Amino acid sequence: MPDAVSGADAPASAKPSVLTHLADRRIVAMLGLGFSSGLPFLLVYVTQSAWLSEAKVPIGILGLLSELTLAYKFKFLWAPFLDRYDAPILGRWLGRRRGWIVATQLGVALTLAGIAFGDPADFLAWTVVFSLALGFAGATQDVVIDGWRITAVAPERQALMSSFAEVGWRVGNLAAGAGALYLADAYGWRAAYLCMAVLMAPGMIAALIAPEPEPARPATHERAGFVETVVAPIRELVTRLGPMAVPILVMVAGFRMPGYVSSAMAMPLFKSLHYSNTDIATVTKLFGFGVALAGTFLASFVVPRIGILASLVAGTVFGSASHLALAYLAIHGGDGGAAFWTFAIAVSVDSFAYAFASIVLITYMSSLAASEHAASQYALLTSLCALPGSLLAGASGFIIADVGFAWFFVGTALIGVPVALLCAYVWHVHPRTEAPAA
């Protein structure tokens, strides 16, 4: 390792200062990489659904278009290959990890530009094709950044790296949410998406200043085929969890299901109540940024004190029940000053609960991943937690057309009841599920 990095893995007893951390270029790079990781996801569908609503895309089609994020649910299929093979050309210059990071960042920037030059009101197919490509590039970027984070520092420093990644991610998420909405109101959607493409530059700079991790030890099955490459991490995880594998994996799959289904129709709800892009950006992103951080800090405080599985039960109950606030908004929201504060409070309740539940789940999934297959198993678990909710979200627009927004959000709240019962069962039967230490 270069000198600028070599002191970063000092023993924990040395208690390095904040300035020492910031002198480690891996930490600085993690902020930039977290930022670029936080940009694409909202721009694939969530922020874009405001554009689609303005283009008068029918509500049923809007629900189907939430499936544009499917690449984030299937990224585990190609994650093992990113661990094993170099990126074309860039891998030779930058190394395996950084080469793939820059390649995916270029892909994100180009597909954002492609969306910018589309017009969903007149040629929806163009927007769909480039959005699918953006989802693939963004999901792959997440995989390779997680792989770099896991291999760049020792296991005892992963919590620190994750914290800086989370800060960067939230700032990127803020830019893709509030920033894009403000720009759309001021200059139009084309300018907004082109600006988002330009904002991938800090992440590329971060990838260039980041040190390339030491190469991993040669894989046991270097010539394994596609199936074996994908199956090996899954087999190790299921074997280690034993008889509790099915309940635990079903719990992971269902934990964020209510949130994914609800999120797909949140923006159409806000637009149906005639809130402007500026109002939505102010409440959901600027004000919501602080609210989400508060939920994150509460989760960080609660998990060590009551345990991860008790926190999972609390997270799924709180996260699902918060959708009742959106049901209330659907009935009482609309134009006017008082309605704006109803909007702000309802969204804040939902954002706080979502952040709390998300951090609890991230902590739990990280504890399940074995060090040998860390990137692949973490990609598998994140895909698993997103897939069922995403598939259900595809029908959400048709459900709302039949029952209305209020009953839809009551229904998403009720989905959390069996998931909470399953969390309680796993807590009671198998209280320790962590992967062996590295």
Side-chain angles (χ1 to χ4, degrees):
M1 286 284 181
D3 291 340
V5 182
S6 58
D9 287 325
S13 59
K15 296 187 181 298
S17 66
V18 174
L19 290 178
T20 302
H21 289 319
L22 292 177
D24 181 352
R25 75 174 191 263
R26 291 173 297 185
I27 298 298
V28 177
M30 193 71 259
L31 282 170
L33 294 175
F35 176 82
S36 68
S37 181
L39 274 175
F41 184 77
L42 290 184
L43 298 169
V44 175
Y45 173 74
V46 178
T47 298
Q48 189 176 208
S49 65
W51 187 1
L52 299 173
S53 296
E54 292 175 6
K56 308 301 182 185
V57 175
I59 189 70
I61 301 300
L62 266 179
L64 289 175
L65 290 179
S66 67
E67 305 296 355
L68 292 171
T69 61
L70 271 179
Y72 284 87
K73 289 76 180 176
F74 290 102
K75 60 187 179 183
F76 71 93
L77 290 175
W78 58 89
F81 296 92
L82 301 171
D83 278 336
R84 180 169 296 181
Y85 301 107
D86 291 346
I89 302 174
L90 290 172
R92 187 183 312 154
W93 296 342
L94 300 174
R96 179 168 300 173
R97 303 290 181 183
R98 295 191 304 154
W100 278 120
I101 291 173
V102 173
T104 56
Q105 289 170 334
L106 289 170
V108 168
L110 291 173
T111 50
L112 284 170
I115 293 173
F117 286 100
D119 182 0
D122 294 328
F123 191 14
L124 184 58
W126 175 286
T127 300
V128 169
V129 169
F130 275 96
S131 296
L132 285 170
L134 174 61
F136 178 79
T140 307
Q141 181 192 214
D142 283 359
V143 171
V144 293
I145 288 177
D146 282 334
W148 178 84
R149 171 179 57 81
I150 291 168
T151 55
V153 299
E156 60 269 17
R157 287 173 60 84
Q158 286 298 329
L160 177 68
M161 290 286 278
S162 297
S163 298
F164 277 87
E166 180 72 8
V167 171
W169 186 90
R170 290 204 175 276
V171 175
N173 198 251
L174 182 65
L181 290 169
Y182 283 137
L183 287 167
D185 262 3
Y187 304 106
W189 283 105
R190 176 170 296 177
Y193 266 76
L194 287 175
C195 286
M196 294 300 108
V198 172
L199 282 181
M200 290 303 294
M204 294 182 191
I205 295 171
L208 295 175
I209 68 171
E212 177 69 11
E214 294 293 332
R217 62 180 177 81
T220 304
H221 305 288
E222 189 65 36
R223 296 184 178 276
F226 178 88
V227 174
E228 176 59 27
T229 300
V230 173
V231 167
I234 303 174
R235 183 172 55 233
E236 191 281 333
L237 177 63
V238 171
T239 301
R240 172 161 42 85
L241 294 179
M244 288 301 295
V246 171
I248 288 172
L249 295 178
V250 171
M251 179 182 70
V252 169
F255 189 85
R256 292 306 299 144
M257 186 189 301
Y260 274 100
V261 177
S262 172
S263 296
M265 286 292 110
M267 187 68 75
L269 168 65
F270 305 153
K271 298 301 288 186
S272 74
L273 296 173
H274 308 295
Y275 293 111
S276 69
N277 290 335
T278 298
D279 286 342
I280 294 170
T282 300
V283 170
T284 64
K285 303 306 175 186
L286 289 185
F287 189 57
F289 181 77
V291 171
L293 283 181
T296 299
F297 291 142
L298 179 64
S300 301
F301 177 83
V302 167
V303 171
R305 286 160 178 79
I306 69 174
I308 184 59
L309 287 170
S311 300
L312 282 171
V313 175
T316 191
V317 171
F318 188 23
S320 300
S322 69
H323 300 168
L324 297 176
L326 296 178
Y328 182 87
L329 175 65
I331 298 171
H332 298 284
D335 298 318
F340 177 83
W341 287 109
T342 301
F343 177 38
I345 293 170
V347 170
S348 296
V349 169
D350 186 60
S351 297
F352 185 89
Y354 189 93
F356 178 90
S358 295
I359 294 301
V360 171
L361 182 62
I362 288 169
T363 304
Y364 183 65
M365 291 190 301
S366 298
S367 75
L368 291 178
S371 57
E372 183 181 354
H373 301 286
S376 298
Q377 288 182 350
Y378 191 79
L380 167 68
L381 292 168
T382 55
S383 296
L384 183 63
C385 82
L387 181 58
S390 176
L391 294 176
L392 280 179
S396 57
F398 298 106
I399 295 172
I400 287 173
D402 188 42
V403 304
F405 280 105
W407 282 112
F408 171 78
F409 287 111
V410 170
T412 62
L414 293 176
I415 293 174
V417 174
V419 181
L421 293 175
L422 182 57
C423 290
Y425 170 77
V426 172
W427 179 22
H428 175 71
V429 175
H430 200 239
R432 292 193 60 81
T433 57
E434 293 85 353

